[in-house]
Structure formats: structure tokens, C-alpha cells
Amino acid sequence: MSLTCEFERVELPLSHPFTIARGTHEVAENVVVRITDGGGMTGVGAAAPSAHYGETAATVEAVLPSLLDEVREVGDPHALDEVERRLRRVVERNPAARAAVSIALHDLAAKRLGVPLYRMWGHDPGRTPKTSFTIGIDEPDVVREKTEEAVEAGYPLLKVKVGTDDDEAILDAVRDAAPDATLRVDANEAWTPRQAVANIEWLTEYDVEFVEQPVPAGDPEGLKFVYERSELPIAADESCITLEDVPRIADRVDIANVKLMKCGGLREATRLFHAARAHGLETMLGCMEETNAAIAAACHLAPLLDYVDLDGALLLAEDPFEGVDLSDGEIHLADLDRPGTGAREV
């Protein structure tokens, strides 16, 4: 089968400057991949690279020609295992680039079958957790305004970024603006182990569901120190990148947070979920600041998970794609009326 492949970089302005403990940005750079079969049917995917993991839009563009050569050589959009194995052999350390190709191929394969991706996999669309909506670090007054916007938009789960000297004031602002919301807290590696334990003590007063990545990923013993003393569940994000990381965090956290852009594809993400379950961990699927060309695919994995944080496209001021309906924080897979991931250009 003849497959045609192309890609382009897109700059996506954010609704608000987005700040976490590591810094601030106002624009998300994604790279959109399109793979078209001989009948003119096209699958779309996207990479949302993170410099924190050594990947940028430029590195994605540099490796995509080699990755897409493998796709053309295989020539079959349904040979998904074979393609993902080949992609990893060609480029091991560019997971967002590999994820973009994986997403585009899955989209095309499901479209060729005429079914939404979750049906191709046999997943139950009625078992999707609600997605959280992220409130980035800012001055407490601005945090309150962002929270009010999120509540007004109907999002019942809020993930609050922390890692500053104003963390308590930030939580005060969020809880004041959203007294009934479920809160999750993400420190993005900002605390020392002892700071984390102390901070978690006062976080319990805000009825927080869990705390994500309280200490640096390079300090596994510090993560264990926090886990053994924490009154709240602990989730690993930066400490959980590849399949090999799952057993390393199994006695240090309660929740494994997987991202397509960290692990390199939809099939690899599924393997991480199953490994996490086997090690007694709960599972979560997160994201970067991503166009719906990527987020839509991630939504089809939601039935496998305990927690979901798929607000990447919701944080954009504008998006060239629409995807799965996430109104009110619900992932409306069962309402999807088109095959593939549901991503389409607008």
C-alpha cells in the first residue's frame, strides 16, 4: 500500500501565560503529522515536545523524515506494532515525534475500519473518568480569576500548580473561588523531601485528592521518603517516563502518570498502564499543551484509567483542530459521531 506523509509546525497561543515551577510560556509549539493512504483517507497526529525532556519542535522536525520513511516502508497503517517497534529502533529519545506518528496511524487505521478508535480497541466509552483543568502559577488574585473562569466553564476537577513561596495563598484563592471543586496539586519537582512532607500536612486542610511529583525525579529516595510520610496519595509524573520506570516507582508512589509525549505512542502508553496495574499502582493519563490532533487520541485511552488530565487543548486560545467533546470535564466518547480519533480541522 502506498502511504503519503507530511508534517508542519504550528504555533498555538495559550489563553493565559502558563507558569509551573520550572518557568512560564505563552505559546505552545506542536508539530502536526498527516499520513494519507492510496484512497485519499488521512490520519492526523501531533507532537507536543518538551525541552525538559530534551525535545523541541526543531528536533521533532529533524527526526520525522526518518520516522516517516519507516511508515512508508511498512506501507500498512494497520501494522501498528511493527511500525512502533521500527520507530523506536530509529529514534529512541524523541518520544513526542514517535507519538505524533503513532497517533496519525491509529487515526488512519480506525478511519479505514469506519469506527471510532475506542471501538477498534474494544474500550467501554461509559468508563471514562472526568478530566481535570489546570490552574497555572500566578499572583493569588489572578489565580482566583482563572479559577472562577474554570468553575464558570463547568470544570469540577482542578489541578493546581504550586512550587512558590505563595503556595498557601494560591490554594486559598483556588478554594475560595471553587469551594466544591475536587483539587489536585502538582509541584513539578519543586520541593525538597522535607518541604514536601511539611507542605502536604497543610494541604490536607484544602481537601486535596493527591499530590503530583513533589520532589525531583532524580531523587528516588526522596520520593520514597515523602511517600512513606504523606497523608495524601502521591503521583509520579517526571519520575515515570518509560516502561522501565514503572517498577522503579512502584514502592514510592500511589499513582503512575503516563503521557503520550513522554513514552512515545499509544501502544506504549497502554503497556505502561498494564505494568502499573500489575505493580499495584493506580493510573493516570496526562498531557502537555497540545492541539486536539493529539488530545483526541488520548481521550480514547481514558476507559483504562483511574484519573485523567487531558486539558492541553482547553488551555489554548485557538486550535486548528477540534476533537472529543470535553464539556463539563466529561470525556464524551460515546457521543463521537465520526471514525478515528475524532480530530478534524476547523
Side-chain angles (χ1 to χ4, degrees):
M1 182 187 305
S2 175
L3 296 176
T4 303
C5 308
E6 61 182 22
F7 60 89
E8 65 169 329
R9 189 190 304 201
V10 294
E11 292 193 350
L12 307 168
L14 305 179
S15 297
H16 298 284
F18 189 69
T19 300
I20 65 172
R22 288 193 294 268
T24 302
H25 56 279
E26 300 181 12
V27 175
E29 285 194 321
N30 283 200
V31 180
V32 176
V33 171
R34 297 176 178 84
I35 301 174
T36 304
D37 68 10
M41 191 169 289
T42 299
V44 297
S50 170
H52 184 67
Y53 300 108
E55 200 170 10
T56 65
T59 67
V60 170
E61 290 178 312
V63 301
L64 274 174
S66 297
L67 297 178
L68 295 173
D69 280 347
E70 296 296 319
V71 172
R72 282 186 285 263
E73 185 173 325
V74 173
D76 181 0
H78 298 280
L80 296 163
D81 273 337
E82 180 183 357
V83 171
E84 287 200 12
R85 283 197 304 271
R86 283 175 171 241
L87 298 186
R88 184 153 189 167
R89 284 201 300 267
V90 171
V91 179
E92 184 177 355
R93 296 185 181 275
N94 283 79
R98 289 187 281 116
V101 178
S102 168
I103 292 167
L105 278 174
H106 279 80
D107 185 35
L108 178 56
K111 282 177 175 173
R112 287 168 56 85
L113 295 175
V115 297
L117 182 55
Y118 75 83
R119 284 189 60 80
M120 188 177 90
W121 285 334
H123 294 171
D124 180 353
R127 294 182 59 84
T128 57
K130 292 183 179 180
T131 183
S132 55
F133 184 92
T134 304
I135 306 296
I137 292 172
D138 219 313
E139 296 297 323
D141 287 347
V142 179
V143 166
R144 183 178 286 103
E145 291 174 9
K146 291 178 181 178
T147 304
E148 289 171 350
E149 286 180 20
V151 170
E152 215 172 291
Y155 296 108
L157 299 177
L158 302 178
K159 182 162 90 166
V160 185
K161 295 288 189 177
V162 294
T164 76
D165 293 336
D166 289 331
D167 285 348
E168 289 192 65
I170 287 172
L171 266 292
D172 280 336
V174 172
R175 186 48 90 194
D176 182 58
D180 300 321
T182 298
L183 302 186
R184 300 166 182 173
V185 165
D186 185 1
N188 287 112
E189 307 180 274
W191 298 330
T192 67
R194 293 193 182 278
Q195 283 176 329
V197 172
N199 289 339
I200 289 169
E201 286 184 8
W202 61 258
L203 281 171
T204 60
E205 300 173 9
Y206 293 88
D207 196 22
V208 170
E209 187 174 23
F210 60 77
V211 177
E212 190 174 337
Q213 199 65 46
V215 300
D219 186 8
E221 291 309 309
L223 186 61
K224 189 172 185 178
F225 178 90
V226 177
Y227 170 68
E228 291 175 343
R229 292 161 178 81
S230 175
E231 297 180 48
L232 297 174
I234 302 297
D237 178 1
E238 287 88 344
S239 294
C240 182
I241 300 172
T242 66
L243 187 62
E244 293 76 16
D245 289 326
V246 173
R248 295 173 187 147
I249 63 169
D251 62 347
R252 288 162 167 76
V253 298
D254 303 278
I255 304 162
N257 183 11
V258 177
K259 294 179 181 175
L260 299 182
M261 302 302 153
K262 291 189 303 183
C263 73
L266 291 160
R267 304 181 85 72
E268 186 69 2
T270 302
R271 283 187 279 271
L272 263 78
F273 299 145
H274 293 320
R277 292 269 191 220
H279 282 86
L281 299 174
E282 292 186 293
T283 56
M284 177 177 173
L285 182 62
C287 64
M288 309 298 186
E289 289 81 48
E290 304 174 19
T291 169
N292 269 305
I295 291 291
C299 289
H300 292 260
L301 290 168
L304 298 178
L305 303 161
D306 298 295
Y307 309 101
V308 170
D309 177 32
L310 293 179
D311 63 344
L314 301 175
L315 302 176
L316 304 178
E318 48 191 68
D319 187 350
F321 291 86
E322 64 180 18
V324 177
D325 180 11
L326 299 180
S327 57
D328 300 321
E330 299 280 355
I331 300 175
H332 298 276
L333 275 184
D335 298 333
L336 189 62
D337 61 356
R338 49 191 182 272
T341 66
R344 63 182 176 189
E345 298 190 52
V346 294

